[in-house]
Amino acid sequence: IQLTQSPSSLSASVGDRVTITCRASQGINSYLAWYQQKPGKAPQLLIYAASTLQSGVPSRFSGSGSGTDFTLTISSLQPEDFATYYCQQLNSYPLTFGGGTKVEIK
Amino acid sequence: EVQLVESGGGLVQPGRSLRLSCAASGFNFGDYPMSWVRQVPGKGLEWVGFIRSKTHGGTTEYAASVKGRFTISRDDSKSIAYLQMNSLTTDDTAVYYCARDRTIFGVIIGYMVVWGKGTTVIVS
């Protein structure tokens, strides 16, 4: 299953609402995760099961979608949110990641 | 503190083998599925594979790119997961992360909530 993220990069300002989309090449139910990765660091799980916030993750992050179309929303971008975001499907093997979306400072 | 520490990376010639280790601490290692994910510097994440807990059979799944060459195993008595990599090619050059699943329940595996810092493998 291929996951296509868009955009591949974006520039935004602190306080902006940011939306990243992830489209699956076939239906994956709600078996989708979102990760955040900062340079030189391991990824961090933000959202699992498409819309469930991982413990300890700020509530400004939210996920939605099912089937083939999913979104990650950051309601009010904070300085520490500038990073690369990846979606991942767990519906079938092999597990796959999207290509990533780099969120940069405008 | 829940922690994963990878080791064993380094420079290796094409066609040779390498074994990576992932030492776990701070949790009951044997209860959890364990995964390996790699990343070419500057590129995206690639899932390598995982091993289920012994409770769920201790079986493995792999990405097509490594199937037949890489083997994931675990030693629950030592709280270590391994990634045995054979017939390495330059395409295997990457940072390799091990990761622990979010829950011990083995129905949906791959929500990775604890990650190591990674170990670098260079095939050249």
Side-chain angles (χ1 to χ4, degrees):
Chain A
I1 296 175
Q2 293 185 336
L3 297 179
T4 303
Q5 286 185 235
S6 60
S8 57
S9 66
L10 65 90
S11 295
S13 301
V14 172
D16 284 354
R17 182 182 182 88
V18 169
T19 298
I20 299 168
T21 66
C22 178
R23 174 164 289 176
S25 59
Q26 61 190 76
I28 58 170
N29 298 294
S30 294
Y31 300 128
L32 188 101
W34 290 97
Y35 296 86
Q36 176 195 68
Q37 187 180 32
K38 297 180 180 179
K41 301 293 186 181
Q44 176 190 356
L45 178 66
L46 300 176
I47 301 282
Y48 64 94
S51 61
T52 304
L53 196 68
Q54 170 63 21
S55 176
V57 174
S59 59
R60 62 181 180 273
F61 291 93
S62 63
S64 65
S66 66
T68 59
D69 294 310
F70 301 86
T71 59
L72 172 71
T73 300
I74 309 172
S75 60
S76 178
L77 198 65
Q78 297 301 301
E80 59 268 31
D81 300 337
F82 292 96
T84 301
Y85 294 83
Y86 295 92
C87 57
Q88 176 210 9
Q89 69 82 21
L90 295 90
N91 186 75
S92 62
Y93 307 129
L95 307 187
T96 47
F97 288 93
T101 296
K102 187 173 184 179
V103 177
E104 299 176 301
I105 301 172
K106 180 183 279 187
Chain B
E1 179 190 5
V2 174
Q3 193 174 7
L4 297 173
V5 178
E6 303 93 338
S7 61
L11 176 63
V12 61
Q13 292 178 329
R16 304 298 290 262
S17 299
L18 201 63
R19 188 178 79 163
L20 306 183
S21 299
C22 170
S25 58
F27 64 97
N28 194 343
F29 175 80
D31 285 345
Y32 288 86
M34 295 296 298
S35 298
W36 288 91
V37 174
R38 68 184 180 182
Q39 185 173 36
V40 175
K43 302 296 184 182
L45 301 170
E46 181 185 13
W47 175 74
V48 172
F50 67 67
I51 185 165
R52 296 176 177 85
S53 67
K54 293 283 197 307
T55 300
H56 293 95
T59 52
T60 53
E61 303 289 345
Y62 298 99
S65 59
V66 307
K67 197 168 187 178
R69 299 189 301 124
F70 288 13
T71 302
I72 299 173
S73 60
R74 62 192 302 154
D75 185 335
D76 292 347
S77 68
K78 296 181 179 179
S79 297
I80 299 178
Y82 299 100
L83 178 63
Q84 176 68 42
M85 304 185 294
N86 299 331
S87 304
L88 286 161
T89 74
T90 55
D91 288 342
D92 296 316
T93 294
V95 176
Y96 285 75
Y97 296 100
C98 69
R100 193 206 81 180
D101 248 49
R102 193 183 64 84
T103 78
I104 64 174
F105 302 107
V107 178
I108 300 297
I109 297 174
Y111 292 124
M112 296 169 277
V113 70
V114 181
W115 295 69
K117 293 183 177 181
T119 187
T120 300
V121 173
I122 300 173
V123 184
S124 178

